[in-house]
Amino acid sequence: MSKRLDYANASPDGYKAFGGVYVAVQKSGLPKELVDLVYLRISQINGCAYCIDMHSRDLLKNGLSVEKLVLVPVWHESGNVFSKRERVALSWAETVTRVSETGVPDADYEAAIAEFNEKELADLTYAIGLMNAFNRFGISFRVPPAAAQA
């Protein structure tokens, strides 16, 4: 796979705008590990090799166990490996990422708002939208994962 376009250099203002959302999510108060788990799950759903590689490395570097990392794709079958809050966040990430299939049903919203306050849920949804956008950049412009650049 060869990279098609360096989108950050081609349109620095657009990249900077997305960077602003990234910083806002970092400052939101949501736990970094929770956000990174959501980023990883979204990237798995969308098949973005660059983002899967990056978020897996970030999670491992920040202390996530390998056992938990490998269960992210099947979190719903992993018993108590993931906290209730993580399970709700991963479920919300999946339903929002697959919006064209799910329509984000009321039951999914009710489960999410029962675990997260309004600000947290809005911030989590910003994070989900941001990662879906970055996945589309990574896939569209064939950004190779770090593992493939070695």
Side-chain angles (χ1 to χ4, degrees):
M1 172 174 74
S2 59
K3 189 173 186 175
R4 291 178 171 168
L5 173 73
D6 183 346
Y7 61 90
N9 284 328
S11 179
D13 289 342
Y15 186 75
K16 217 169 160 180
F18 279 102
V21 176
Y22 178 79
V23 170
V25 169
Q26 284 184 310
K27 292 179 177 180
S28 72
L30 291 171
K32 180 173 175 25
E33 184 173 295
L34 179 105
V35 172
D36 285 342
L37 284 169
V38 164
Y39 285 165
L40 176 59
R41 184 64 191 122
I42 293 163
S43 299
Q44 291 169 338
I45 292 167
N46 289 326
C48 182
Y50 175 82
C51 294
I52 291 168
D53 182 66
M54 177 176 57
H55 298 299
S56 295
R57 290 172 188 271
D58 287 348
L59 283 160
L60 290 170
K61 182 177 76 178
N62 291 318
L64 187 76
S65 70
V66 171
E67 293 80 11
K68 189 169 183 175
L69 179 72
V70 299
L71 292 174
V72 170
V74 292
W75 63 268
H76 46 84
E77 298 175 16
S78 300
N80 64 358
V81 171
F82 296 89
S83 70
K84 180 178 182 194
R85 195 164 171 87
E86 289 169 336
R87 290 191 306 270
V88 170
L90 290 165
S91 179
W92 185 247
E94 288 185 1
T95 197
V96 172
T97 295
R98 294 180 169 132
V99 65
S100 68
E101 299 165 27
T102 69
V104 189
D106 289 343
D108 292 352
Y109 172 77
E110 293 301 328
I113 202 69
E115 187 64 32
F116 294 93
N117 67 38
E118 289 182 355
K119 180 190 180 317
E120 291 171 328
L121 189 57
D123 289 335
L124 180 60
T125 308
Y126 288 135
I128 293 165
L130 177 69
M131 189 47 48
N132 273 286
F134 274 129
N135 288 168
R136 279 144 182 79
F137 295 135
I139 294 166
S140 297
F141 298 127
R142 304 287 192 262
V143 180
Q149 297 174 24

